[in-house]
Amino acid sequence: MSALQVVAPDGVPAVTSSTELAAVLVPVLANLVWPDGSVGVEASDVVVLSSKVVSKAEGRLVRATDREAAIDDETVRVVASRENADGSRLRIVENRQGIVMAAAGVDSSNTHPGTILLLPVDPDDSARRLRRGLAARLGGVRPGVILTDSAGRPWRSGVTDLAIGAAGITVLDDLRGTPDDAGRPLETTVVAVADEIAAAADLLKRPTGGHPLAVVRGMGHVVTHDDGPGARGLSRTGPDDMFALGSREAWERGRDGRPLTD
């Protein structure tokens, strides 16, 4: 029998730019109680944390009046844009972290009035540093770490949490070449395990209610001793991206006789 457990502990304190993140999370993790009565975290667990908490600890708050300028600064490539009826503008862009998302991930939710929050500069490095800090305070126990942010998806309504930073996790499970139940080799199946763990954790973690942290148990087979390459490899950009442009942008390029790829 296979089982997956997710626990979102209470007691995560408010975080500011002066917060040592691992130091404030370790007491919460050490006192975490599982349904079977066990306490704490194991090396085979995955600690899943909202990237907003990391951004606050890294001083990534800026003034809300600079939101459009912040989006400009964080944008590498505009994928699609739309003027809304209220005069606001929706931009789907590739940001500095290599992720395609709305507004480059610039967010005003769960921040002090008058401020907005940028994503961590390097979420994978943030995950690695957090993992080291946790291990140093947990007696050498090195759980996997995933940092998440919510994003929409083409052709699907609603948002879900994605892994934008990872350490100690096999983020992609490449099943190509392994046999299916009928004995035929799989040809294209590569599972985004880190994204699936992020989404599972978000069922309890949620964007409001003071639960930015969750721990997932039952995925020990994808937890690694080494930190690994991180979550950046989950982003499909460049020649592999068949949808690099929105429909309007593709139409405009075609009309002007410009190539559809840069």
Side-chain angles (χ1 to χ4, degrees):
M1 181 180 70
S2 299
L4 186 72
Q5 297 182 78
V6 181
V7 176
D10 298 321
V12 178
V15 170
T16 69
S17 59
S18 63
T19 300
E20 173 58 47
L21 201 52
V24 300
L25 292 182
V26 161
V28 178
L29 295 171
N31 294 310
L32 186 153
V33 179
W34 294 87
D36 64 1
S38 60
V39 178
V41 294
E42 300 175 352
S44 57
D45 294 336
V46 183
V47 174
V48 185
L49 181 66
S50 169
S51 63
K52 292 180 178 61
V53 174
V54 179
S55 291
K56 290 176 181 178
E58 294 181 354
R60 296 284 282 164
L61 278 170
V62 299
R63 292 179 300 171
T65 53
D66 296 333
R67 184 174 188 272
E68 292 302 316
I71 296 172
D72 289 338
D73 290 343
E74 296 298 308
T75 295
V76 172
R77 173 175 60 95
V78 177
V79 175
S81 61
R82 183 180 68 196
E83 298 293 332
N84 296 320
D86 61 2
S88 62
R89 182 163 49 133
L90 171 64
R91 284 186 278 175
I92 309 297
V93 307
E94 179 186 345
N95 61 22
R96 294 178 182 272
Q97 293 78 8
I99 309 166
V100 175
M101 60 193 337
V106 176
D107 195 2
S108 59
S109 63
N110 296 318
T111 63
H112 293 297
T115 62
I116 55 176
L117 199 60
L118 311 181
L119 292 178
V121 173
D122 185 342
D124 285 325
D125 183 63
S126 298
R128 290 189 288 267
R129 288 188 283 110
L130 177 58
R131 192 184 192 213
R132 288 195 298 269
L134 294 178
R137 294 168 172 82
L138 290 170
V141 175
R142 291 169 57 84
V145 172
I146 291 177
L147 307 184
T148 71
D149 195 32
S150 58
R153 302 147 299 156
W155 309 292
R156 304 288 289 183
S157 295
V159 298
T160 186
D161 256 24
L162 307 175
I164 68 166
I169 293 290
T170 301
V171 297
L172 290 168
D173 190 6
D174 191 345
L175 301 179
R176 291 174 295 184
T178 61
D180 64 12
D181 290 341
R184 294 184 297 267
L186 298 171
E187 297 181 358
T188 61
T189 305
V190 181
V191 181
V193 177
D195 282 345
E196 292 186 327
I197 295 173
D202 192 50
L203 292 172
L204 293 184
K205 190 161 60 64
R206 310 307 298 161
T208 59
H211 292 90
L213 173 71
V215 183
V216 177
R217 177 165 290 180
M219 294 298 296
H221 59 287
V222 300
V223 177
T224 61
H225 178 76
D226 295 335
D227 287 338
R232 194 173 182 99
L234 290 165
S235 296
R236 179 179 290 160
T237 57
D240 291 335
D241 185 2
M242 296 176 65
F243 309 100
L245 299 174
S247 58
R248 179 178 302 171
E249 287 73 22
W251 181 86
E252 289 176 349
R253 286 199 179 196
R255 179 197 60 190
D256 297 339
R258 292 180 290 158
L260 296 183
T261 57
D262 294 317

